[in-house]
Amino acid sequence: MLQLPKPTQPQKSLAPLDEAYELCRQITQKYSKTFYLGTLLMPPEKRQAIWAIYVWCRRTDELVDGPQAQLTTPETLKLWEEHLESLFSGHPIDDEDVALVDTLERFPIEITPFRDMIAGQEMDLYRSRYETFEELKLYCYRVAGTVGLMSSSVLGIEGNHYGAAWEQHQEKYLPKEEAIALGIANQLTNILRDVGEDAQRGRIYLPLEDLERFNYTEDDLFNGVIDDRWRNLMAFEIQRARHYYQESEKGIRGLNRDSRWPVWAALMLYQGILDVIEANGYDVFTTRAFVPTPKKMLYLPVAWLRAQVL
Ligand SMILES: CC(C)=CCC/C(C)=C/CC/C(C)=C/CC/C(C)=C/[C@@H]1[C@@H](COP(=O)(O)OP(=O)(O)O)[C@]1(C)CC/C=C(\C)CC/C=C(\C)CCC=C(C)C
Ligand SMILES: [Mn+2]
């Protein structure tokens, strides 16, 4: 269902726009309950645009993380970048692209974050360790901070007046850093939740300098050792992720009013995973941390309130 690029595919007739958006809706709903719920709180035009962006991101991630990932080479990613360029010149190739091409017309977005995400996925082809947090942060920017930048164009920036009303210039404060911070916070959360799953694939995203700081070894991690060293290491990483959430929060008030509730909701739902990891005694080896649906529903009114007052 998630088609990988087929460069030699002959010309085919593509889905009409409403069907393409419906396809993107279905894929978003299937693959991410959390972000899908967030989009349901948006006005229809923004919601559809986020589905289109989600699907492009999902397809990009699938290239290195999906069932066909073994077949992906740097050449595959090069072809995917050419595919991207075709979309940016208004030429959809697959049904899902029809929605993204329309979204790009309605909400102009720079191509850079899309290219950067492909570069991030490429890192997964040749890296399975990160020595320092600085190195990991670059990866997190590329695979997730970029999502913040892409989404911001759709979410919209509230116009802020600086200076007196009779002055001509009206400047907009662009909360770019905050959008990137929320992506990084989400990705760090994702990494902490998936430590066990990634270890089974021989991957360690936690910076090795942090393992060393807490005297915890790669072997300990592959054996799923949970002791004070691990608990302290995890507490440190969770605190770092929470710092990025906090950094992102001040950007939300710079967004259009109708985007603040969905973003607060997505933020709280994803950050909630950190609380579950703590409640599970930092066991990310045998238990997958998730926020149960009734708890998700409880977050929604709190997120609404924050969107009104913060
Ligand atoms: C509500 C809203 C605007 C959501 C955006 C939804 C969107 C377009 C998500 C794209 C997700 C995606 C498939 C990215 C590919 C790379 C990747 C896998 C990144 C990880 C996402 C979750 O992955 P996964 O599928 O493994 O997770 P679950 O199993 O579903 O838990 C990431 C963790 C990155 C997600 C990053 C964001 C959603 C960016 C958030 C930032 C903003 C919306 C900017 C807000 C603006 C300001 C000013 C704060
Ligand atoms: Mn992934």
Side-chain angles (χ1 to χ4, degrees):
M1 189 266 314
L2 279 172
Q3 300 276 313
L4 299 185
K6 291 193 194 85
T8 52
Q9 203 164 294
Q11 285 275 324
K12 56 176 178 177
S13 66
L14 296 172
L17 189 56
D18 55 344
E19 278 177 27
Y21 274 121
E22 173 55 18
L23 179 60
C24 293
R25 185 194 71 73
Q26 288 172 7
I27 296 173
T28 310
Q29 182 182 33
K30 176 170 175 197
Y31 285 88
S32 181
K33 303 282 171 273
T34 302
F35 298 130
Y36 183 68
L37 180 57
T39 63
L40 295 183
L41 309 176
M42 292 175 185
E45 208 194 12
K46 292 188 177 185
R47 177 190 301 169
Q48 288 190 317
I50 296 291
W51 294 336
I53 294 173
Y54 180 88
V55 168
W56 184 86
C57 293
R58 178 85 273 149
R59 294 177 80 193
T60 307
D61 188 56
E62 290 281 303
L63 291 175
V64 295
D65 229 6
Q68 312 258 325
Q70 305 284 13
L71 304 175
T72 298
T73 63
E75 180 61 20
T76 320
L77 295 181
K78 215 171 161 302
L79 290 170
W80 187 238
E81 193 156 341
E82 284 168 19
H83 185 125
L84 172 72
E85 264 142 34
S86 169
L87 305 189
F88 269 78
S89 33
H91 299 110
I93 295 166
D94 298 325
D95 289 347
E96 295 89 329
D97 299 336
V98 174
L100 186 57
V101 168
D102 180 68
T103 288
L104 293 170
E105 274 167 21
R106 288 168 197 262
F107 302 96
I109 312 177
E110 284 180 23
I111 195 169
T112 312
F114 292 84
R115 285 197 181 123
D116 287 349
M117 180 179 282
I118 297 175
Q121 305 300 357
E122 193 171 14
M123 288 170 87
D124 269 334
L125 286 188
Y126 62 85
R127 281 194 87 145
S128 60
R129 300 285 187 283
Y130 293 85
E131 284 296 328
T132 63
F133 177 64
E134 275 313 300
E135 289 173 17
L136 180 68
K137 195 172 146 193
L138 174 65
Y139 171 76
C140 291
Y141 158 71
R142 286 179 170 168
V143 299
T146 50
V147 182
L149 294 178
M150 297 169 197
S151 309
S152 291
S153 307
V154 174
L155 299 170
I157 308 301
E158 199 70 25
N160 293 326
H161 284 280
Y162 292 103
W166 58 84
E167 284 175 343
Q168 281 303 301
H169 63 273
Q170 183 191 355
E171 287 182 28
K172 285 183 172 184
Y173 169 62
L174 298 169
K176 260 185 160 184
E177 290 306 317
E178 291 87 346
I180 293 172
L182 185 50
I184 293 177
N186 285 350
Q187 187 61 31
L188 291 174
T189 305
N190 197 276
I191 285 171
L192 296 177
R193 182 195 65 190
D194 295 344
V195 165
E197 229 173 80
D198 289 329
Q200 279 170 15
R201 298 184 301 165
R203 298 188 159 273
I204 301 179
Y205 287 99
L206 298 181
L208 298 182
E209 65 178 6
D210 295 349
L211 265 67
E212 204 174 318
R213 182 192 307 210
F214 290 93
N215 201 21
Y216 191 84
T217 66
E218 290 193 21
D219 274 353
D220 291 329
L221 193 142
F222 287 126
N223 290 318
V225 175
I226 299 176
D227 57 11
D228 278 348
R229 295 169 304 152
W230 175 249
R231 283 185 280 269
N232 289 334
L233 169 59
M234 284 297 278
F236 172 81
E237 303 295 346
I238 287 177
Q239 196 201 349
R240 179 186 271 150
R242 286 194 176 127
H243 164 78
Y244 279 95
Y245 281 111
Q246 219 173 349
E247 286 299 298
S248 71
E249 287 177 6
K250 45 185 178 280
I252 304 179
R253 75 176 85 104
L255 297 174
N256 283 168
R257 284 203 165 273
D258 60 13
S259 294
R260 293 179 201 167
W261 185 24
V263 173
W264 266 113
L267 182 153
M268 292 179 68
L269 293 170
Y270 223 77
Q271 187 173 23
I273 297 172
L274 298 176
D275 303 335
V276 178
I277 295 175
E278 285 173 334
N280 290 345
Y282 304 107
D283 180 2
V284 282
F285 299 107
T286 62
T287 318
R288 189 176 215 253
F290 72 98
V291 178
T293 305
K295 182 101 188 269
K296 277 187 179 159
M297 294 306 153
L298 285 178
Y299 279 126
L300 297 186
V302 183
W304 182 85
L305 212 61
R306 288 188 177 181
Q308 311 311 310
V309 298
L310 293 180

